[in-house]
Amino acid sequence: AKYNAIWQASRLDKELQKKWETERKENYNATLPILFPRDSSFKQSHDKEIKELIRKASLVIDRHQNSHFIIDAYLLIARGRLYQNDLKNAIETYKYVNSLEIRPEALLALYEIYLDQKEFTAAEKIEDFLSENPLNANQKKQYLLLKAYSFQRLDEPVKAAALLQEVQRYLKKGEEKARLAFIMGQLFSDNNQPSLALESFKTAVSNKPSYELQLQANLAIHQLEGNLAALQQMLKDPKNEDSKAAIYVKIGQYHYLKKNYKDAKENWEKGGQNNPNKGE
């Protein structure tokens, strides 16, 4: 059970999770969601792997009813249901797991589903269960992320940003830490706290972000600092060739806020010529 079916299903789960994170498309024109939104197209693109994950985990239930890894198998099946965006069956599976044994992984997954569906009363009940059960460091981090996400869903950016600051101490340098710092910057900007926003965007840059995230953080920094020269310099960097539209948008915004409408118009027109598929 452990070294065959569970091992193979777990490997598939990790591969799917990595693909889910790397294949997503971020919309930097809006405040990023703290948790990655579910995408129905993912199910279509990876239908074969998802079905194989569920099949492998189901083998344990079919063949090893006395195994200690029955609950792990159900948790993996529930993960497969989430990849399929089959929330109804995912919820039922997680509830069944908790009827056998209270597992923080199942509670956290239910908490996330209820928040996605804006079922805040049900989410609060899960919070109560989580507060009564010990969590390891990774589960504590996930709980704080979900709590921050709940405040974001409730349109309380300051509370969400405060919890993200607490999450930072659980993370090592890398894309996740940089992305959450960037979101903190956006939340502070939304709440008209430019100094805290600037600090957060700089934290994002210092935490080994991807090229796209670093570009967006630098754009936000230069805009907050009113550094037109730095924005114009970014246009000259060859590696930003495919991102010129986004830079022209920021330069146009700079001029627009200064009421230099002619310069704003010219830069936005250049942005459209650089990439006419960019709606902004």
Side-chain angles (χ1 to χ4, degrees), residues 214-249:
Q214 183 172 4
L215 174 77
Q216 294 295 333
N218 279 322
L219 286 173
I221 290 167
H222 298 328
Q223 186 177 32
L224 283 168
E225 292 178 336
N227 192 342
L228 180 60
L231 289 170
Q232 290 173 330
Q233 185 61 37
M234 289 179 74
L235 287 173
K236 299 175 184 178
D237 191 333
K239 70 180 181 183
N240 294 334
E241 186 63 33
D242 293 335
S243 303
K244 279 187 174 180
I247 301 171
Y248 278 123
V249 167

PDB file of all heavy atoms in Angstrom, residues 214-249:
ATOM      1  N   GLN A 214       9.193  39.860 -10.675  1.00  0.00           N
ATOM      2  CA  GLN A 214      10.191  40.899 -10.418  1.00  0.00           C
ATOM      3  C   GLN A 214       9.902  42.146 -11.247  1.00  0.00           C
ATOM      4  O   GLN A 214      10.010  43.273 -10.751  1.00  0.00           O
ATOM      5  CB  GLN A 214      11.594  40.368 -10.736  1.00  0.00           C
ATOM      6  CG  GLN A 214      12.694  41.380 -10.424  1.00  0.00           C
ATOM      7  CD  GLN A 214      14.083  40.793 -10.557  1.00  0.00           C
ATOM      8  OE1 GLN A 214      14.233  39.641 -10.959  1.00  0.00           O
ATOM      9  NE2 GLN A 214      15.092  41.551 -10.218  1.00  0.00           N
ATOM     10  N   LEU A 215       9.526  41.938 -12.515  1.00  0.00           N
ATOM     11  CA  LEU A 215       9.175  43.060 -13.375  1.00  0.00           C
ATOM     12  C   LEU A 215       8.020  43.862 -12.790  1.00  0.00           C
ATOM     13  O   LEU A 215       8.088  45.098 -12.680  1.00  0.00           O
ATOM     14  CB  LEU A 215       8.795  42.540 -14.761  1.00  0.00           C
ATOM     15  CG  LEU A 215       8.250  43.603 -15.730  1.00  0.00           C
ATOM     16  CD1 LEU A 215       9.378  44.443 -16.301  1.00  0.00           C
ATOM     17  CD2 LEU A 215       7.452  42.959 -16.861  1.00  0.00           C
ATOM     18  N   GLN A 216       6.961  43.161 -12.374  1.00  0.00           N
ATOM     19  CA  GLN A 216       5.782  43.839 -11.840  1.00  0.00           C
ATOM     20  C   GLN A 216       6.096  44.557 -10.531  1.00  0.00           C
ATOM     21  O   GLN A 216       5.591  45.656 -10.276  1.00  0.00           O
ATOM     22  CB  GLN A 216       4.647  42.827 -11.641  1.00  0.00           C
ATOM     23  CG  GLN A 216       4.112  42.217 -12.923  1.00  0.00           C
ATOM     24  CD  GLN A 216       3.430  43.229 -13.818  1.00  0.00           C
ATOM     25  OE1 GLN A 216       2.907  44.238 -13.352  1.00  0.00           O
ATOM     26  NE2 GLN A 216       3.411  42.948 -15.117  1.00  0.00           N
ATOM     27  N   ALA A 217       6.940  43.936  -9.680  1.00  0.00           N
ATOM     28  CA  ALA A 217       7.314  44.580  -8.415  1.00  0.00           C
ATOM     29  C   ALA A 217       8.130  45.842  -8.677  1.00  0.00           C
ATOM     30  O   ALA A 217       7.914  46.879  -8.033  1.00  0.00           O
ATOM     31  CB  ALA A 217       8.098  43.591  -7.548  1.00  0.00           C
ATOM     32  N   ASN A 218       9.067  45.763  -9.626  1.00  0.00           N
ATOM     33  CA  ASN A 218       9.870  46.947  -9.953  1.00  0.00           C
ATOM     34  C   ASN A 218       9.007  48.058 -10.546  1.00  0.00           C
ATOM     35  O   ASN A 218       9.213  49.243 -10.250  1.00  0.00           O
ATOM     36  CB  ASN A 218      10.989  46.573 -10.932  1.00  0.00           C
ATOM     37  CG  ASN A 218      12.179  45.941 -10.228  1.00  0.00           C
ATOM     38  OD1 ASN A 218      12.543  46.339  -9.122  1.00  0.00           O
ATOM     39  ND2 ASN A 218      12.804  44.963 -10.862  1.00  0.00           N
ATOM     40  N   LEU A 219       8.042  47.691 -11.385  1.00  0.00           N
ATOM     41  CA  LEU A 219       7.122  48.692 -11.930  1.00  0.00           C
ATOM     42  C   LEU A 219       6.360  49.394 -10.809  1.00  0.00           C
ATOM     43  O   LEU A 219       6.205  50.620 -10.809  1.00  0.00           O
ATOM     44  CB  LEU A 219       6.133  48.025 -12.893  1.00  0.00           C
ATOM     45  CG  LEU A 219       6.669  47.603 -14.259  1.00  0.00           C
ATOM     46  CD1 LEU A 219       5.616  46.812 -15.024  1.00  0.00           C
ATOM     47  CD2 LEU A 219       7.101  48.811 -15.076  1.00  0.00           C
ATOM     48  N   ALA A 220       5.890  48.584  -9.833  1.00  0.00           N
ATOM     49  CA  ALA A 220       5.151  49.161  -8.703  1.00  0.00           C
ATOM     50  C   ALA A 220       6.042  50.075  -7.865  1.00  0.00           C
ATOM     51  O   ALA A 220       5.612  51.161  -7.430  1.00  0.00           O
ATOM     52  CB  ALA A 220       4.580  48.039  -7.839  1.00  0.00           C
ATOM     53  N   ILE A 221       7.292  49.658  -7.654  1.00  0.00           N
ATOM     54  CA  ILE A 221       8.239  50.467  -6.871  1.00  0.00           C
ATOM     55  C   ILE A 221       8.493  51.815  -7.556  1.00  0.00           C
ATOM     56  O   ILE A 221       8.408  52.874  -6.928  1.00  0.00           O
ATOM     57  CB  ILE A 221       9.569  49.708  -6.675  1.00  0.00           C
ATOM     58  CG1 ILE A 221       9.372  48.531  -5.716  1.00  0.00           C
ATOM     59  CG2 ILE A 221      10.662  50.634  -6.138  1.00  0.00           C
ATOM     60  CD1 ILE A 221      10.518  47.545  -5.703  1.00  0.00           C
ATOM     61  N   HIS A 222       8.828  51.771  -8.839  1.00  0.00           N
ATOM     62  CA  HIS A 222       9.142  53.007  -9.564  1.00  0.00           C
ATOM     63  C   HIS A 222       7.927  53.926  -9.644  1.00  0.00           C
ATOM     64  O   HIS A 222       8.066  55.154  -9.591  1.00  0.00           O
ATOM     65  CB  HIS A 222       9.645  52.675 -10.971  1.00  0.00           C
ATOM     66  CG  HIS A 222      10.914  51.872 -10.987  1.00  0.00           C
ATOM     67  ND1 HIS A 222      11.888  51.991 -10.014  1.00  0.00           N
ATOM     68  CD2 HIS A 222      11.358  50.912 -11.860  1.00  0.00           C
ATOM     69  CE1 HIS A 222      12.876  51.154 -10.281  1.00  0.00           C
ATOM     70  NE2 HIS A 222      12.583  50.486 -11.380  1.00  0.00           N
ATOM     71  N   GLN A 223       6.733  53.327  -9.757  1.00  0.00           N
ATOM     72  CA  GLN A 223       5.530  54.151  -9.799  1.00  0.00           C
ATOM     73  C   GLN A 223       5.293  54.834  -8.461  1.00  0.00           C
ATOM     74  O   GLN A 223       4.984  56.031  -8.409  1.00  0.00           O
ATOM     75  CB  GLN A 223       4.316  53.304 -10.187  1.00  0.00           C
ATOM     76  CG  GLN A 223       3.047  54.135 -10.387  1.00  0.00           C
ATOM     77  CD  GLN A 223       1.873  53.293 -10.832  1.00  0.00           C
ATOM     78  OE1 GLN A 223       1.759  52.127 -10.468  1.00  0.00           O
ATOM     79  NE2 GLN A 223       0.987  53.866 -11.635  1.00  0.00           N
ATOM     80  N   LEU A 224       5.440  54.083  -7.363  1.00  0.00           N
ATOM     81  CA  LEU A 224       5.240  54.669  -6.030  1.00  0.00           C
ATOM     82  C   LEU A 224       6.278  55.752  -5.734  1.00  0.00           C
ATOM     83  O   LEU A 224       5.970  56.756  -5.068  1.00  0.00           O
ATOM     84  CB  LEU A 224       5.307  53.575  -4.957  1.00  0.00           C
ATOM     85  CG  LEU A 224       4.067  52.690  -4.822  1.00  0.00           C
ATOM     86  CD1 LEU A 224       4.372  51.487  -3.937  1.00  0.00           C
ATOM     87  CD2 LEU A 224       2.898  53.473  -4.241  1.00  0.00           C
ATOM     88  N   GLU A 225       7.505  55.551  -6.217  1.00  0.00           N
ATOM     89  CA  GLU A 225       8.568  56.529  -5.992  1.00  0.00           C
ATOM     90  C   GLU A 225       8.508  57.689  -6.980  1.00  0.00           C
ATOM     91  O   GLU A 225       9.247  58.670  -6.836  1.00  0.00           O
ATOM     92  CB  GLU A 225       9.939  55.851  -6.097  1.00  0.00           C
ATOM     93  CG  GLU A 225      10.222  54.867  -4.964  1.00  0.00           C
ATOM     94  CD  GLU A 225      11.555  54.159  -5.108  1.00  0.00           C
ATOM     95  OE1 GLU A 225      12.056  54.062  -6.252  1.00  0.00           O
ATOM     96  OE2 GLU A 225      12.102  53.704  -4.092  1.00  0.00           O
ATOM     97  N   GLY A 226       7.638  57.563  -7.965  1.00  0.00           N
ATOM     98  CA  GLY A 226       7.557  58.601  -8.994  1.00  0.00           C
ATOM     99  C   GLY A 226       8.829  58.684  -9.818  1.00  0.00           C
ATOM    100  O   GLY A 226       9.218  59.766 -10.279  1.00  0.00           O
ATOM    101  N   ASN A 227       9.484  57.532 -10.014  1.00  0.00           N
ATOM    102  CA  ASN A 227      10.786  57.496 -10.686  1.00  0.00           C
ATOM    103  C   ASN A 227      10.584  57.238 -12.180  1.00  0.00           C
ATOM    104  O   ASN A 227      10.704  56.102 -12.659  1.00  0.00           O
ATOM    105  CB  ASN A 227      11.656  56.406 -10.049  1.00  0.00           C
ATOM    106  CG  ASN A 227      13.103  56.494 -10.475  1.00  0.00           C
ATOM    107  OD1 ASN A 227      13.431  57.128 -11.481  1.00  0.00           O
ATOM    108  ND2 ASN A 227      13.983  55.864  -9.718  1.00  0.00           N
ATOM    109  N   LEU A 228      10.311  58.312 -12.912  1.00  0.00           N
ATOM    110  CA  LEU A 228      10.055  58.194 -14.348  1.00  0.00           C
ATOM    111  C   LEU A 228      11.292  57.710 -15.094  1.00  0.00           C
ATOM    112  O   LEU A 228      11.194  56.901 -16.020  1.00  0.00           O
ATOM    113  CB  LEU A 228       9.593  59.543 -14.901  1.00  0.00           C
ATOM    114  CG  LEU A 228       9.288  59.590 -16.397  1.00  0.00           C
ATOM    115  CD1 LEU A 228       8.176  58.626 -16.764  1.00  0.00           C
ATOM    116  CD2 LEU A 228       8.924  61.019 -16.821  1.00  0.00           C
ATOM    117  N   ALA A 229      12.473  58.181 -14.677  1.00  0.00           N
ATOM    118  CA  ALA A 229      13.714  57.797 -15.355  1.00  0.00           C
ATOM    119  C   ALA A 229      13.934  56.286 -15.281  1.00  0.00           C
ATOM    120  O   ALA A 229      14.369  55.658 -16.263  1.00  0.00           O
ATOM    121  CB  ALA A 229      14.899  58.533 -14.728  1.00  0.00           C
ATOM    122  N   ALA A 230      13.623  55.686 -14.128  1.00  0.00           N
ATOM    123  CA  ALA A 230      13.799  54.239 -13.966  1.00  0.00           C
ATOM    124  C   ALA A 230      12.831  53.473 -14.859  1.00  0.00           C
ATOM    125  O   ALA A 230      13.195  52.446 -15.449  1.00  0.00           O
ATOM    126  CB  ALA A 230      13.604  53.845 -12.507  1.00  0.00           C
ATOM    127  N   LEU A 231      11.598  53.971 -14.980  1.00  0.00           N
ATOM    128  CA  LEU A 231      10.622  53.322 -15.861  1.00  0.00           C
ATOM    129  C   LEU A 231      11.070  53.394 -17.309  1.00  0.00           C
ATOM    130  O   LEU A 231      10.973  52.409 -18.057  1.00  0.00           O
ATOM    131  CB  LEU A 231       9.251  53.985 -15.698  1.00  0.00           C
ATOM    132  CG  LEU A 231       8.514  53.723 -14.381  1.00  0.00           C
ATOM    133  CD1 LEU A 231       7.293  54.627 -14.253  1.00  0.00           C
ATOM    134  CD2 LEU A 231       8.065  52.261 -14.290  1.00  0.00           C
ATOM    135  N   GLN A 232      11.594  54.550 -17.714  1.00  0.00           N
ATOM    136  CA  GLN A 232      12.053  54.703 -19.096  1.00  0.00           C
ATOM    137  C   GLN A 232      13.284  53.838 -19.365  1.00  0.00           C
ATOM    138  O   GLN A 232      13.451  53.321 -20.472  1.00  0.00           O
ATOM    139  CB  GLN A 232      12.354  56.181 -19.370  1.00  0.00           C
ATOM    140  CG  GLN A 232      11.089  57.041 -19.406  1.00  0.00           C
ATOM    141  CD  GLN A 232      11.370  58.518 -19.508  1.00  0.00           C
ATOM    142  OE1 GLN A 232      12.405  58.999 -19.020  1.00  0.00           O
ATOM    143  NE2 GLN A 232      10.458  59.265 -20.122  1.00  0.00           N
ATOM    144  N   GLN A 233      14.124  53.667 -18.335  1.00  0.00           N
ATOM    145  CA  GLN A 233      15.294  52.814 -18.482  1.00  0.00           C
ATOM    146  C   GLN A 233      14.892  51.357 -18.693  1.00  0.00           C
ATOM    147  O   GLN A 233      15.541  50.617 -19.439  1.00  0.00           O
ATOM    148  CB  GLN A 233      16.190  52.933 -17.240  1.00  0.00           C
ATOM    149  CG  GLN A 233      17.501  52.176 -17.326  1.00  0.00           C
ATOM    150  CD  GLN A 233      18.396  52.647 -18.459  1.00  0.00           C
ATOM    151  OE1 GLN A 233      18.458  53.841 -18.763  1.00  0.00           O
ATOM    152  NE2 GLN A 233      19.081  51.709 -19.098  1.00  0.00           N
ATOM    153  N   MET A 234      13.792  50.960 -18.046  1.00  0.00           N
ATOM    154  CA  MET A 234      13.310  49.587 -18.206  1.00  0.00           C
ATOM    155  C   MET A 234      12.925  49.303 -19.655  1.00  0.00           C
ATOM    156  O   MET A 234      13.036  48.174 -20.132  1.00  0.00           O
ATOM    157  CB  MET A 234      12.109  49.329 -17.282  1.00  0.00           C
ATOM    158  CG  MET A 234      12.487  49.260 -15.810  1.00  0.00           C
ATOM    159  SD  MET A 234      11.054  48.974 -14.736  1.00  0.00           S
ATOM    160  CE  MET A 234      10.728  47.232 -15.081  1.00  0.00           C
ATOM    161  N   LEU A 235      12.479  50.326 -20.381  1.00  0.00           N
ATOM    162  CA  LEU A 235      12.116  50.149 -21.793  1.00  0.00           C
ATOM    163  C   LEU A 235      13.329  49.777 -22.640  1.00  0.00           C
ATOM    164  O   LEU A 235      13.199  49.089 -23.656  1.00  0.00           O
ATOM    165  CB  LEU A 235      11.495  51.435 -22.343  1.00  0.00           C
ATOM    166  CG  LEU A 235      10.071  51.785 -21.898  1.00  0.00           C
ATOM    167  CD1 LEU A 235       9.694  53.167 -22.390  1.00  0.00           C
ATOM    168  CD2 LEU A 235       9.075  50.754 -22.401  1.00  0.00           C
ATOM    169  N   LYS A 236      14.513  50.221 -22.203  1.00  0.00           N
ATOM    170  CA  LYS A 236      15.734  50.008 -22.985  1.00  0.00           C
ATOM    171  C   LYS A 236      16.361  48.640 -22.729  1.00  0.00           C
ATOM    172  O   LYS A 236      17.233  48.212 -23.479  1.00  0.00           O
ATOM    173  CB  LYS A 236      16.749  51.110 -22.661  1.00  0.00           C
ATOM    174  CG  LYS A 236      16.258  52.516 -22.998  1.00  0.00           C
ATOM    175  CD  LYS A 236      17.272  53.561 -22.548  1.00  0.00           C
ATOM    176  CE  LYS A 236      16.751  54.974 -22.801  1.00  0.00           C
ATOM    177  NZ  LYS A 236      17.704  56.003 -22.319  1.00  0.00           N
ATOM    178  N   ASP A 237      15.921  47.974 -21.663  1.00  0.00           N
ATOM    179  CA  ASP A 237      16.503  46.679 -21.315  1.00  0.00           C
ATOM    180  C   ASP A 237      15.986  45.618 -22.289  1.00  0.00           C
ATOM    181  O   ASP A 237      14.778  45.386 -22.367  1.00  0.00           O
ATOM    182  CB  ASP A 237      16.121  46.323 -19.874  1.00  0.00           C
ATOM    183  CG  ASP A 237      16.893  45.121 -19.342  1.00  0.00           C
ATOM    184  OD1 ASP A 237      17.307  44.273 -20.161  1.00  0.00           O
ATOM    185  OD2 ASP A 237      17.069  45.021 -18.116  1.00  0.00           O
ATOM    186  N   PRO A 238      16.882  44.961 -23.030  1.00  0.00           N
ATOM    187  CA  PRO A 238      16.440  43.973 -24.042  1.00  0.00           C
ATOM    188  C   PRO A 238      15.560  42.858 -23.478  1.00  0.00           C
ATOM    189  O   PRO A 238      14.666  42.362 -24.173  1.00  0.00           O
ATOM    190  CB  PRO A 238      17.756  43.404 -24.575  1.00  0.00           C
ATOM    191  CG  PRO A 238      18.770  44.460 -24.292  1.00  0.00           C
ATOM    192  CD  PRO A 238      18.342  45.110 -23.005  1.00  0.00           C
ATOM    193  N   LYS A 239      15.800  42.458 -22.225  1.00  0.00           N
ATOM    194  CA  LYS A 239      15.017  41.346 -21.668  1.00  0.00           C
ATOM    195  C   LYS A 239      13.565  41.735 -21.408  1.00  0.00           C
ATOM    196  O   LYS A 239      12.717  40.877 -21.182  1.00  0.00           O
ATOM    197  CB  LYS A 239      15.662  40.816 -20.384  1.00  0.00           C
ATOM    198  CG  LYS A 239      15.578  41.733 -19.188  1.00  0.00           C
ATOM    199  CD  LYS A 239      16.255  41.114 -17.977  1.00  0.00           C
ATOM    200  CE  LYS A 239      16.158  42.023 -16.761  1.00  0.00           C
ATOM    201  NZ  LYS A 239      16.873  41.471 -15.588  1.00  0.00           N
ATOM    202  N   ASN A 240      13.269  43.056 -21.453  1.00  0.00           N
ATOM    203  CA  ASN A 240      11.896  43.521 -21.235  1.00  0.00           C
ATOM    204  C   ASN A 240      11.142  43.741 -22.539  1.00  0.00           C
ATOM    205  O   ASN A 240      10.054  44.332 -22.531  1.00  0.00           O
ATOM    206  CB  ASN A 240      11.896  44.829 -20.426  1.00  0.00           C
ATOM    207  CG  ASN A 240      12.415  44.650 -19.012  1.00  0.00           C
ATOM    208  OD1 ASN A 240      12.339  43.563 -18.453  1.00  0.00           O
ATOM    209  ND2 ASN A 240      12.954  45.712 -18.432  1.00  0.00           N
ATOM    210  N   GLU A 241      11.707  43.266 -23.648  1.00  0.00           N
ATOM    211  CA  GLU A 241      11.106  43.527 -24.958  1.00  0.00           C
ATOM    212  C   GLU A 241       9.646  43.075 -25.022  1.00  0.00           C
ATOM    213  O   GLU A 241       8.786  43.782 -25.556  1.00  0.00           O
ATOM    214  CB  GLU A 241      11.921  42.815 -26.042  1.00  0.00           C
ATOM    215  CG  GLU A 241      11.475  43.120 -27.466  1.00  0.00           C
ATOM    216  CD  GLU A 241      11.641  44.584 -27.851  1.00  0.00           C
ATOM    217  OE1 GLU A 241      12.594  45.237 -27.368  1.00  0.00           O
ATOM    218  OE2 GLU A 241      10.793  45.074 -28.626  1.00  0.00           O
ATOM    219  N   ASP A 242       9.361  41.906 -24.476  1.00  0.00           N
ATOM    220  CA  ASP A 242       7.992  41.372 -24.536  1.00  0.00           C
ATOM    221  C   ASP A 242       7.074  41.984 -23.483  1.00  0.00           C
ATOM    222  O   ASP A 242       5.884  41.666 -23.449  1.00  0.00           O
ATOM    223  CB  ASP A 242       8.013  39.848 -24.358  1.00  0.00           C
ATOM    224  CG  ASP A 242       8.678  39.142 -25.524  1.00  0.00           C
ATOM    225  OD1 ASP A 242       8.697  39.724 -26.628  1.00  0.00           O
ATOM    226  OD2 ASP A 242       9.182  38.017 -25.333  1.00  0.00           O
ATOM    227  N   SER A 243       7.636  42.830 -22.621  1.00  0.00           N
ATOM    228  CA  SER A 243       6.839  43.413 -21.531  1.00  0.00           C
ATOM    229  C   SER A 243       6.703  44.928 -21.660  1.00  0.00           C
ATOM    230  O   SER A 243       6.294  45.595 -20.710  1.00  0.00           O
ATOM    231  CB  SER A 243       7.483  43.073 -20.177  1.00  0.00           C
ATOM    232  OG  SER A 243       7.611  41.677 -20.017  1.00  0.00           O
ATOM    233  N   LYS A 244       7.050  45.448 -22.839  1.00  0.00           N
ATOM    234  CA  LYS A 244       7.023  46.903 -23.006  1.00  0.00           C
ATOM    235  C   LYS A 244       5.626  47.480 -22.805  1.00  0.00           C
ATOM    236  O   LYS A 244       5.465  48.598 -22.321  1.00  0.00           O
ATOM    237  CB  LYS A 244       7.552  47.281 -24.393  1.00  0.00           C
ATOM    238  CG  LYS A 244       9.081  47.293 -24.467  1.00  0.00           C
ATOM    239  CD  LYS A 244       9.536  47.840 -25.815  1.00  0.00           C
ATOM    240  CE  LYS A 244      11.057  47.989 -25.844  1.00  0.00           C
ATOM    241  NZ  LYS A 244      11.518  48.523 -27.149  1.00  0.00           N
ATOM    242  N   ALA A 245       4.596  46.719 -23.209  1.00  0.00           N
ATOM    243  CA  ALA A 245       3.230  47.236 -23.060  1.00  0.00           C
ATOM    244  C   ALA A 245       2.938  47.581 -21.598  1.00  0.00           C
ATOM    245  O   ALA A 245       2.393  48.643 -21.292  1.00  0.00           O
ATOM    246  CB  ALA A 245       2.221  46.206 -23.570  1.00  0.00           C
ATOM    247  N   ALA A 246       3.332  46.676 -20.674  1.00  0.00           N
ATOM    248  CA  ALA A 246       3.089  46.912 -19.245  1.00  0.00           C
ATOM    249  C   ALA A 246       3.858  48.129 -18.747  1.00  0.00           C
ATOM    250  O   ALA A 246       3.363  48.902 -17.902  1.00  0.00           O
ATOM    251  CB  ALA A 246       3.483  45.673 -18.445  1.00  0.00           C
ATOM    252  N   ILE A 247       5.074  48.325 -19.277  1.00  0.00           N
ATOM    253  CA  ILE A 247       5.896  49.482 -18.854  1.00  0.00           C
ATOM    254  C   ILE A 247       5.276  50.778 -19.373  1.00  0.00           C
ATOM    255  O   ILE A 247       5.184  51.774 -18.647  1.00  0.00           O
ATOM    256  CB  ILE A 247       7.345  49.316 -19.356  1.00  0.00           C
ATOM    257  CG1 ILE A 247       7.941  48.020 -18.803  1.00  0.00           C
ATOM    258  CG2 ILE A 247       8.206  50.510 -18.927  1.00  0.00           C
ATOM    259  CD1 ILE A 247       9.285  47.638 -19.415  1.00  0.00           C
ATOM    260  N   TYR A 248       4.834  50.770 -20.629  1.00  0.00           N
ATOM    261  CA  TYR A 248       4.180  51.967 -21.187  1.00  0.00           C
ATOM    262  C   TYR A 248       2.916  52.319 -20.396  1.00  0.00           C
ATOM    263  O   TYR A 248       2.593  53.502 -20.210  1.00  0.00           O
ATOM    264  CB  TYR A 248       3.818  51.745 -22.653  1.00  0.00           C
ATOM    265  CG  TYR A 248       4.972  51.974 -23.613  1.00  0.00           C
ATOM    266  CD1 TYR A 248       5.387  50.963 -24.476  1.00  0.00           C
ATOM    267  CD2 TYR A 248       5.633  53.202 -23.659  1.00  0.00           C
ATOM    268  CE1 TYR A 248       6.438  51.167 -25.364  1.00  0.00           C
ATOM    269  CE2 TYR A 248       6.685  53.410 -24.547  1.00  0.00           C
ATOM    270  CZ  TYR A 248       7.087  52.388 -25.387  1.00  0.00           C
ATOM    271  OH  TYR A 248       8.124  52.592 -26.259  1.00  0.00           O
ATOM    272  N   VAL A 249       2.192  51.300 -19.947  1.00  0.00           N
ATOM    273  CA  VAL A 249       0.994  51.553 -19.133  1.00  0.00           C
ATOM    274  C   VAL A 249       1.371  52.326 -17.865  1.00  0.00           C
ATOM    275  O   VAL A 249       0.721  53.314 -17.492  1.00  0.00           O
ATOM    276  CB  VAL A 249       0.278  50.231 -18.772  1.00  0.00           C
ATOM    277  CG1 VAL A 249      -0.758  50.467 -17.670  1.00  0.00           C
ATOM    278  CG2 VAL A 249      -0.411  49.650 -19.992  1.00  0.00           C
TER     279      VAL A 249
END
